[in-house]
Short mmCIF file of all heavy atoms in Angstrom, two decimals:
data_model
loop_
_atom_site.label_atom_id
_atom_site.label_comp_id
_atom_site.label_asym_id
_atom_site.label_seq_id
_atom_site.Cartn_x
_atom_site.Cartn_y
_atom_site.Cartn_z
N LYS W 1 -4.59 7.62 -18.80
CA LYS W 1 -3.80 6.47 -18.36
C LYS W 1 -3.07 6.77 -17.06
O LYS W 1 -3.00 5.95 -16.15
CB LYS W 1 -2.79 6.08 -19.45
CG LYS W 1 -3.39 5.44 -20.68
CD LYS W 1 -2.30 5.00 -21.65
CE LYS W 1 -2.88 4.35 -22.88
NZ LYS W 1 -1.82 3.92 -23.84
N ILE W 2 -2.51 7.97 -16.99
CA ILE W 2 -1.76 8.37 -15.80
C ILE W 2 -2.67 8.40 -14.57
O ILE W 2 -2.30 7.95 -13.49
CB ILE W 2 -1.09 9.74 -16.02
CG1 ILE W 2 0.08 9.59 -17.01
CG2 ILE W 2 -0.59 10.34 -14.70
CD1 ILE W 2 0.72 10.91 -17.43
N GLU W 3 -3.86 8.92 -14.73
CA GLU W 3 -4.82 8.97 -13.62
C GLU W 3 -5.16 7.56 -13.13
O GLU W 3 -5.25 7.31 -11.93
CB GLU W 3 -6.08 9.71 -14.04
CG GLU W 3 -5.89 11.21 -14.19
CD GLU W 3 -7.15 11.92 -14.69
OE1 GLU W 3 -8.13 11.20 -15.01
OE2 GLU W 3 -7.14 13.15 -14.78
N LYS W 4 -5.30 6.64 -14.08
CA LYS W 4 -5.61 5.26 -13.73
C LYS W 4 -4.45 4.62 -12.98
O LYS W 4 -4.65 3.94 -11.95
CB LYS W 4 -5.91 4.47 -15.01
CG LYS W 4 -6.24 3.00 -14.78
CD LYS W 4 -6.49 2.29 -16.10
CE LYS W 4 -6.76 0.80 -15.89
NZ LYS W 4 -6.95 0.08 -17.17
N ILE W 5 -3.24 4.84 -13.47
CA ILE W 5 -2.06 4.25 -12.82
C ILE W 5 -1.84 4.85 -11.44
O ILE W 5 -1.55 4.13 -10.48
CB ILE W 5 -0.81 4.46 -13.70
CG1 ILE W 5 -0.96 3.70 -15.02
CG2 ILE W 5 0.45 3.97 -12.97
CD1 ILE W 5 0.10 4.04 -16.05
N CYS W 6 -1.99 6.16 -11.32
CA CYS W 6 -1.78 6.82 -10.03
C CYS W 6 -2.80 6.36 -8.99
O CYS W 6 -2.45 6.17 -7.82
CB CYS W 6 -1.83 8.34 -10.18
SG CYS W 6 -0.35 9.04 -10.95
N ALA W 7 -4.03 6.16 -9.41
CA ALA W 7 -5.06 5.67 -8.50
C ALA W 7 -4.69 4.27 -8.01
O ALA W 7 -4.85 3.94 -6.82
CB ALA W 7 -6.42 5.64 -9.18
N TYR W 8 -4.19 3.44 -8.92
CA TYR W 8 -3.75 2.09 -8.56
C TYR W 8 -2.57 2.15 -7.60
O TYR W 8 -2.54 1.44 -6.58
CB TYR W 8 -3.36 1.32 -9.82
CG TYR W 8 -2.58 0.06 -9.53
CD1 TYR W 8 -3.23 -1.12 -9.17
CD2 TYR W 8 -1.19 0.05 -9.61
CE1 TYR W 8 -2.51 -2.27 -8.89
CE2 TYR W 8 -0.46 -1.09 -9.33
CZ TYR W 8 -1.13 -2.25 -8.97
OH TYR W 8 -0.41 -3.38 -8.67
N LEU W 9 -1.59 2.98 -7.90
CA LEU W 9 -0.40 3.09 -7.05
C LEU W 9 -0.76 3.60 -5.66
O LEU W 9 -0.17 3.17 -4.66
CB LEU W 9 0.63 4.01 -7.70
CG LEU W 9 1.33 3.46 -8.95
CD1 LEU W 9 2.16 4.55 -9.62
CD2 LEU W 9 2.21 2.27 -8.59
N GLN W 10 -1.71 4.52 -5.58
CA GLN W 10 -2.15 5.02 -4.28
C GLN W 10 -2.81 3.91 -3.46
O GLN W 10 -2.56 3.78 -2.26
CB GLN W 10 -3.12 6.19 -4.48
CG GLN W 10 -2.45 7.47 -4.95
CD GLN W 10 -3.45 8.54 -5.35
OE1 GLN W 10 -4.67 8.32 -5.33
NE2 GLN W 10 -2.95 9.70 -5.73
N GLU W 11 -3.64 3.11 -4.12
CA GLU W 11 -4.28 1.99 -3.43
C GLU W 11 -3.24 1.00 -2.94
O GLU W 11 -3.31 0.50 -1.81
CB GLU W 11 -5.28 1.29 -4.36
CG GLU W 11 -6.01 0.13 -3.69
CD GLU W 11 -6.87 -0.67 -4.65
OE1 GLU W 11 -6.64 -0.59 -5.87
OE2 GLU W 11 -7.77 -1.39 -4.16
N LEU W 12 -2.25 0.71 -3.78
CA LEU W 12 -1.20 -0.22 -3.41
C LEU W 12 -0.39 0.32 -2.23
O LEU W 12 -0.05 -0.42 -1.30
CB LEU W 12 -0.29 -0.48 -4.61
CG LEU W 12 0.93 -1.38 -4.37
CD1 LEU W 12 0.50 -2.75 -3.85
CD2 LEU W 12 1.74 -1.53 -5.66
N GLN W 13 -0.09 1.60 -2.26
CA GLN W 13 0.69 2.22 -1.19
C GLN W 13 -0.05 2.18 0.15
O GLN W 13 0.54 1.82 1.18
CB GLN W 13 1.03 3.66 -1.56
CG GLN W 13 1.92 4.37 -0.53
CD GLN W 13 2.31 5.76 -0.99
OE1 GLN W 13 1.60 6.40 -1.78
NE2 GLN W 13 3.45 6.24 -0.52
N ILE W 14 -1.32 2.53 0.13
CA ILE W 14 -2.13 2.50 1.35
C ILE W 14 -2.19 1.08 1.92
O ILE W 14 -2.03 0.86 3.13
CB ILE W 14 -3.55 3.03 1.07
CG1 ILE W 14 -3.50 4.54 0.79
CG2 ILE W 14 -4.48 2.74 2.24
CD1 ILE W 14 -4.80 5.10 0.24
N THR W 15 -2.40 0.11 1.05
CA THR W 15 -2.49 -1.28 1.47
C THR W 15 -1.16 -1.78 2.00
O THR W 15 -1.10 -2.49 3.02
CB THR W 15 -2.95 -2.16 0.30
OG1 THR W 15 -4.18 -1.66 -0.23
CG2 THR W 15 -3.15 -3.60 0.73
N ALA W 16 -0.07 -1.43 1.33
CA ALA W 16 1.27 -1.86 1.76
C ALA W 16 1.60 -1.29 3.13
O ALA W 16 2.16 -1.99 3.99
CB ALA W 16 2.32 -1.41 0.74
N ASN W 17 1.28 -0.03 3.37
CA ASN W 17 1.57 0.59 4.66
C ASN W 17 0.74 -0.03 5.78
O ASN W 17 1.22 -0.23 6.90
CB ASN W 17 1.32 2.10 4.59
CG ASN W 17 2.40 2.82 3.80
OD1 ASN W 17 3.53 2.36 3.70
ND2 ASN W 17 2.05 3.96 3.21
N LYS W 18 -0.51 -0.34 5.46
CA LYS W 18 -1.37 -1.01 6.45
C LYS W 18 -0.80 -2.39 6.79
O LYS W 18 -0.78 -2.78 7.97
CB LYS W 18 -2.78 -1.13 5.88
CG LYS W 18 -3.77 -1.84 6.78
CD LYS W 18 -5.19 -1.77 6.22
CE LYS W 18 -5.31 -2.48 4.89
NZ LYS W 18 -6.73 -2.51 4.40
N TYR W 19 -0.33 -3.10 5.77
CA TYR W 19 0.22 -4.43 6.01
C TYR W 19 1.56 -4.35 6.74
O TYR W 19 1.86 -5.19 7.59
CB TYR W 19 0.37 -5.18 4.69
CG TYR W 19 0.45 -6.68 4.86
CD1 TYR W 19 -0.56 -7.36 5.53
CD2 TYR W 19 1.51 -7.41 4.35
CE1 TYR W 19 -0.52 -8.74 5.70
CE2 TYR W 19 1.58 -8.78 4.51
CZ TYR W 19 0.56 -9.45 5.19
OH TYR W 19 0.62 -10.80 5.36
N TYR W 20 2.35 -3.35 6.40
CA TYR W 20 3.63 -3.14 7.09
C TYR W 20 3.40 -2.99 8.59
O TYR W 20 4.11 -3.60 9.41
CB TYR W 20 4.34 -1.90 6.54
CG TYR W 20 5.64 -1.58 7.25
CD1 TYR W 20 6.86 -2.07 6.77
CD2 TYR W 20 5.65 -0.78 8.40
CE1 TYR W 20 8.04 -1.79 7.43
CE2 TYR W 20 6.83 -0.50 9.06
CZ TYR W 20 8.02 -0.99 8.58
OH TYR W 20 9.20 -0.71 9.24
N ASP W 21 2.43 -2.18 8.96
CA ASP W 21 2.13 -1.95 10.38
C ASP W 21 1.76 -3.26 11.07
O ASP W 21 2.18 -3.52 12.21
CB ASP W 21 0.99 -0.94 10.53
CG ASP W 21 1.40 0.47 10.13
OD1 ASP W 21 2.62 0.75 10.08
OD2 ASP W 21 0.50 1.30 9.86
N SER W 22 0.97 -4.09 10.41
CA SER W 22 0.55 -5.36 11.00
C SER W 22 1.73 -6.32 11.15
O SER W 22 1.92 -6.94 12.21
CB SER W 22 -0.55 -6.00 10.14
OG SER W 22 -0.97 -7.23 10.71
N VAL W 23 2.52 -6.46 10.09
CA VAL W 23 3.68 -7.36 10.14
C VAL W 23 4.68 -6.89 11.19
O VAL W 23 5.23 -7.70 11.95
CB VAL W 23 4.36 -7.43 8.75
CG1 VAL W 23 5.68 -8.21 8.83
CG2 VAL W 23 3.44 -8.09 7.73
N ALA W 24 4.91 -5.58 11.26
CA ALA W 24 5.85 -5.04 12.25
C ALA W 24 5.35 -5.29 13.67
O ALA W 24 6.15 -5.60 14.58
CB ALA W 24 6.04 -3.54 12.01
N MET W 25 4.05 -5.18 13.89
CA MET W 25 3.47 -5.43 15.21
C MET W 25 3.69 -6.88 15.62
O MET W 25 4.11 -7.17 16.75
CB MET W 25 1.98 -5.08 15.18
CG MET W 25 1.24 -5.33 16.50
SD MET W 25 0.56 -7.02 16.64
CE MET W 25 -0.70 -6.99 15.36
N VAL W 26 3.41 -7.82 14.70
CA VAL W 26 3.60 -9.24 15.00
C VAL W 26 5.08 -9.53 15.23
O VAL W 26 5.45 -10.30 16.13
CB VAL W 26 3.05 -10.12 13.86
CG1 VAL W 26 3.34 -11.60 14.13
CG2 VAL W 26 1.55 -9.91 13.69
N ASN W 27 5.95 -8.89 14.46
CA ASN W 27 7.38 -9.11 14.61
C ASN W 27 7.88 -8.62 15.97
O ASN W 27 8.75 -9.26 16.58
CB ASN W 27 8.13 -8.38 13.49
CG ASN W 27 9.62 -8.69 13.49
OD1 ASN W 27 10.03 -9.84 13.62
ND2 ASN W 27 10.44 -7.66 13.34
N ASP W 28 7.34 -7.51 16.44
CA ASP W 28 7.73 -7.00 17.76
C ASP W 28 7.35 -8.01 18.85
O ASP W 28 8.13 -8.25 19.79
CB ASP W 28 7.05 -5.66 18.04
CG ASP W 28 7.66 -4.52 17.25
OD1 ASP W 28 8.80 -4.67 16.75
OD2 ASP W 28 6.99 -3.47 17.11
#
């Protein structure tokens, strides 16, 4: 279960950081 959750959290983190960069660029 932990491996499944950690894989999900890693995917979410990577996606969130990618989106943060895009939103921050547009905001600038």
Side-chain angles (χ1 to χ4, degrees):
K1 289 184 179 180
I2 288 173
E3 288 176 355
K4 180 181 177 182
I5 296 170
C6 285
Y8 166 82
L9 289 171
Q10 287 171 357
E11 181 187 20
L12 177 58
Q13 183 176 26
I14 290 169
T15 304
N17 287 334
K18 178 173 63 175
Y19 201 56
Y20 177 92
D21 290 342
S22 181
V23 172
M25 178 271 293
V26 176
N27 187 45
D28 286 342

